[in-house]
Amino acid sequence: MRWDNLAESPPAEIALFGTDAVVTRTFDTPEFRGVTFHEVRARSIVNRVPGASRMPFEWTVNPYRGCTHACVYCFARKTHSYLDLDTGLGFDSQIVVKVNAPELVRRHLGSRQWEGAHIAMGTNVDCYQRAEGRYALMPGILAALRDHANPFSILTKGTLILRDLDLLREAAAVTDVGVSVSVGFTDQELWRTVEPGTPAPERRLDVVRALTAQGLDCGVLMAPVVPFLGDRTEQLRATVRAIAAAGATSVTPLVLHLRPGAREWFMAWLGQHHPWLVGRYERMYAAGAYAPKWYQRRITRQVHELADEFGIGPASSGTARRIRTAPAAPPPQEPGGTQLTLL
């Protein structure tokens, strides 16, 4: 495995990192059975997004690599190959944990060179995946962001974010905070096969409901909309209706895209579960990772029309929304668009 780009003290030569630099653990508990954790002390954690990226933000924090959510379409699968790890089952079960992430964030934010730019989390793998329940890295990260009044946003499929509700409220009192939950569909059969390690869609919508009940704005990234499996009009309607009922402040659709690494794994899954669709997918994604523009526009139009019908509007691009705080706090700024186009 190539650990040199993660290590706190990288070797002088580009080589496999020494085995004493990585602590590998397995836990014989039902929720982690079959999962291996590689604990590393990273040398950096606040990463600049490449200039060619489509992402609407410049800086990210990702305390984990690999994800037990095991979403078959996850674009981050390719990143496991950088460490000579498998991008299929290995991505789902070989989890890299940057155990010093909170202290690195605090150190970075305290640097004289840091100008307080927005930091996005959950943009590569989910920072509230099951591993977070054991390693609890996010409370320290959120506390550092709060203490430095640094704006940030979080995208998650995990219900564990509710554990950190108090920290989110405290941070929202001093800086701009955006929270978004990813719910691409409410179809139970599709969920069980495409996102087998995630909380059920209704549990994720419970997170939206819980946050809004506490006066916190929470948008929904309706992603991915899966062609031919989750894009029927009645499916889109059911999903948007459920999102609206949960009290989401916005809904933003995003059609499935298949980058290298994810594409191979997804197509293998498709051939096993829906072989009659393989040819249609090969034609739809023949030009690259993204579905044709006409298809993306059609889905976006349908979802926005349904959102209008159910009383919620799409989020626009821009800076993260300030979460509404308790009545005793200063009045919030006029909300902008929540950063939702992350996947």
Side-chain angles (χ1 to χ4, degrees), residues 68-74 77 89 92 185-201 204 224 226 229-230 235 265-274 276-277 281:
T68 52
H69 283 170
C71 301
V72 297
Y73 53 77
C74 183
R77 289 182 177 278
L89 288 176
D92 306 337
F185 42 81
T186 53
D187 184 289
Q188 291 292 300
E189 182 178 356
L190 185 58
W191 160 63
R192 291 180 192 280
T193 56
V194 177
E195 301 172 341
T198 65
R204 285 176 252 163
V226 186
L229 292 172
Q235 290 175 306
W265 189 246
F266 179 86
M267 292 301 290
W269 171 87
L270 193 69
Q272 179 181 357
H273 292 271
H274 306 282
W276 56 90
L277 289 179
Y281 265 81

Side-chain angles (χ1 to χ4, degrees), residues 28 32 36 57 59 62 74 82 93-94 97 108 115 130 187 193 214 244 257 275 296 303 332:
D28 189 22
F32 295 126
T36 300
F57 44 79
W59 299 94
N62 292 292
C74 183
Y82 306 157
S93 61
Q94 301 284 327
V97 184
H108 190 97
E115 297 180 350
R130 278 180 287 160
D187 184 289
T193 56
Q214 293 294 317
H257 62 273
Q296 295 184 55
V303 170

Side-chain angles (χ1 to χ4, degrees), residues 228 280 284 291-301:
F228 317 125
R280 297 184 72 179
M284 173 167 276
K293 290 290 186 183
W294 65 263
Y295 180 84
Q296 295 184 55
R297 286 193 292 265
R298 191 190 82 187
I299 295 298
T300 298
R301 183 179 65 253

Side-chain angles (χ1 to χ4, degrees), residues 243-263:
I243 291 170
T249 55
S250 64
V251 57
T252 301
L254 192 64
V255 173
L256 173 74
H257 62 273
L258 297 172
R259 299 183 190 177
R263 186 187 187 106

Side-chain angles (χ1 to χ4, degrees), residues 44-172:
S44 64
I45 195 70
V46 181
N47 301 310
R48 186 187 292 272
V49 177
S53 172
R54 298 188 178 194
M55 302 301 184
F57 44 79
E58 190 176 0
W59 299 94
T60 64
V61 164
N62 292 292
Y64 301 97
R65 281 200 184 193
C67 186
T68 52
H69 283 170
C71 301
V72 297
Y73 53 77
C74 183
F75 77 89
R77 289 182 177 278
K78 179 67 174 177
T79 63
H80 245 38
S81 67
Y82 306 157
L83 300 176
D84 292 341
L85 292 170
D86 176 59
T87 60
L89 288 176
F91 180 83
D92 306 337
S93 61
Q94 301 284 327
I95 310 302
V96 178
V97 184
K98 302 173 188 178
V99 293
N100 60 334
E103 63 189 81
L104 286 178
V105 170
R106 186 171 291 276
R107 183 192 309 166
H108 190 97
L109 298 184
S111 169
R112 291 183 179 180
Q113 287 73 41
W114 180 247
E115 297 180 350
H118 178 98
I119 291 176
M121 292 176 284
T123 61
N124 191 40
V125 300
D126 203 317
C127 51
Y128 283 106
Q129 61 175 290
R130 278 180 287 160
E132 173 62 15
R134 175 170 288 273
Y135 287 97
L137 300 179
M138 286 301 292
I141 292 171
L142 293 178
L145 290 161
R146 175 203 62 197
D147 293 347
H148 288 275
N150 201 101
F152 65 90
S153 60
I154 298 172
L155 173 67
T156 185
K157 290 186 177 79
T159 56
L160 191 58
I161 190 173
L162 294 180
R163 178 201 63 192
D164 297 338
L165 180 59
D166 288 344
L167 281 167
L168 289 171
R169 291 178 63 88
E170 291 168 8

